[in-house]
Amino acid sequence: MDLEPIALPVTWVLVIVLFTILKPGVFLTQANISSILSSQAVLVVVTLAIVIPFTVGDLDVSVGAVVGFSAMLTAILNVQHDVPVFLAVLIAIVASMAIGLFNGIVATTMNVDLLIVTLGTGSLITGVTAWMSDLNTITGVSQGLVDAVVGHRILGIAPEFYYAMVIAVGLFYMLRYLPFGRRMLIVGQARDVALLSGINVNRTRVLGLVMCSGLAGLAGVLYVGNSGGATPSGGAELLLPAFAAAFLGATSIVPGRFNAFGSVIAVYFLVTGINGLQLLGAQTFVQQLFYGAALVVAVSVSSMVRARRKRRGDEEAEAAMTEAAEPAGDPPDATVPPGRRGNTDSKDTA
């Protein structure tokens, strides 16, 4: 039985049990559970966003900047220009998707490494966000957005958590069952094979980046709805934990492959560990230590899992080829009747 897919969920349960024993009556309470699930919905959406380019073999490091840009644009349009809040949300998400389109076009048409493109784009967007806000925090966003994100709780959990779960299910369905999702997987695993199969690799990459930035824009909307305002540097703090969760999630559920449900479990596994340590009295800097260590461990383990599964697949393919190449043996002499093959020599001798 392969226990690898469930190793992370089982470890998460053990961590919950451990902190429940260490902090009885504090850790496993309705208030703390609601806080963990609700407060990390933005991080879940950001993690799901970067899973998309990871799936096609790309690396987008501008996601955190796009989150801050989307949050600030929503706040400025709604607060300073009296744009209806949901129209402001739509404009922010479309503008975020345009950033992904720009990244994809530059990377594919000019054959520039996407890491370099998104590194420059992220810095540019951060500057634009600071310029738009004049380095000021914008508050006073419409109460309608705040209610839609954190109001009207269901089972004590804010609506943003359920939005994140719907996105996770949608991403899982796309990668598992839709043709475009299957093409993304093929492009990520072997671009040369994808080209020979007739898949438009560049278009698949560009669309993946557009979807990534669109989800990052939605995360920015949740961000501003959660806090009721936007800061010039908002969103940057989400990049490191999102990368850590995405790589850690690639070791679970579908080991060796970036996947939606594994990423969600990884986010809440990391957050559960940080929350438990803080309840035990750890300082706030433990969050950076935990995320940094988790990223290093997650990348290492994910690489090992992918290499081992690739090696296992190569061994199985080699064994199948060897079995197919084995000779089936010489056929019996068709000129001798079956009933006389055993005594032909004895008659000739006589």
Side-chain angles (χ1 to χ4, degrees), residues 6 68 184 205 234 255 348:
I6 62 172
M184 290 176 63
R205 293 177 63 195
D348 291 342

Short mmCIF file of all heavy atoms in Angstrom, two decimals, residues 6 68 184 205 234 255 348:
data_model
loop_
_atom_site.label_atom_id
_atom_site.label_comp_id
_atom_site.label_asym_id
_atom_site.label_seq_id
_atom_site.Cartn_x
_atom_site.Cartn_y
_atom_site.Cartn_z
N ILE A 6 -1.08 10.09 1.41
CA ILE A 6 -1.78 10.52 2.63
C ILE A 6 -0.81 10.89 3.75
O ILE A 6 -1.24 11.12 4.88
CB ILE A 6 -2.74 9.43 3.13
CG1 ILE A 6 -1.99 8.15 3.49
CG2 ILE A 6 -3.81 9.15 2.08
CD1 ILE A 6 -2.85 7.10 4.16
N GLY A 68 -1.23 42.82 -4.13
CA GLY A 68 -1.23 44.16 -3.58
C GLY A 68 -1.78 45.19 -4.55
O GLY A 68 -2.52 46.12 -4.13
N MET A 184 -2.28 21.22 -20.18
CA MET A 184 -1.35 21.87 -19.26
C MET A 184 -0.40 20.85 -18.63
O MET A 184 0.81 21.10 -18.52
CB MET A 184 -2.12 22.60 -18.16
CG MET A 184 -2.87 23.84 -18.63
SD MET A 184 -3.85 24.58 -17.30
CE MET A 184 -2.58 25.04 -16.14
N ARG A 205 0.76 28.20 -22.21
CA ARG A 205 1.52 28.92 -21.18
C ARG A 205 0.92 30.29 -20.91
O ARG A 205 0.78 30.71 -19.75
CB ARG A 205 2.97 29.05 -21.60
CG ARG A 205 3.74 27.74 -21.67
CD ARG A 205 5.16 27.98 -22.16
NE ARG A 205 5.90 28.82 -21.21
CZ ARG A 205 7.05 29.43 -21.52
NH1 ARG A 205 7.55 29.33 -22.75
NH2 ARG A 205 7.67 30.16 -20.60
N GLY A 234 1.08 45.65 0.64
CA GLY A 234 0.25 44.48 0.88
C GLY A 234 0.43 43.40 -0.18
O GLY A 234 0.62 43.69 -1.36
N PRO A 255 1.28 12.66 -5.42
CA PRO A 255 2.71 12.94 -5.22
C PRO A 255 3.45 13.12 -6.55
O PRO A 255 3.23 12.38 -7.51
CB PRO A 255 3.21 11.70 -4.47
CG PRO A 255 2.00 11.14 -3.81
CD PRO A 255 0.87 11.42 -4.76
N ASP A 348 12.78 -44.48 -38.10
CA ASP A 348 13.90 -44.39 -39.01
C ASP A 348 15.03 -45.30 -38.57
O ASP A 348 15.72 -45.92 -39.40
CB ASP A 348 14.40 -42.96 -39.07
CG ASP A 348 13.40 -42.03 -39.75
OD1 ASP A 348 12.52 -42.56 -40.45
OD2 ASP A 348 13.49 -40.78 -39.54
#
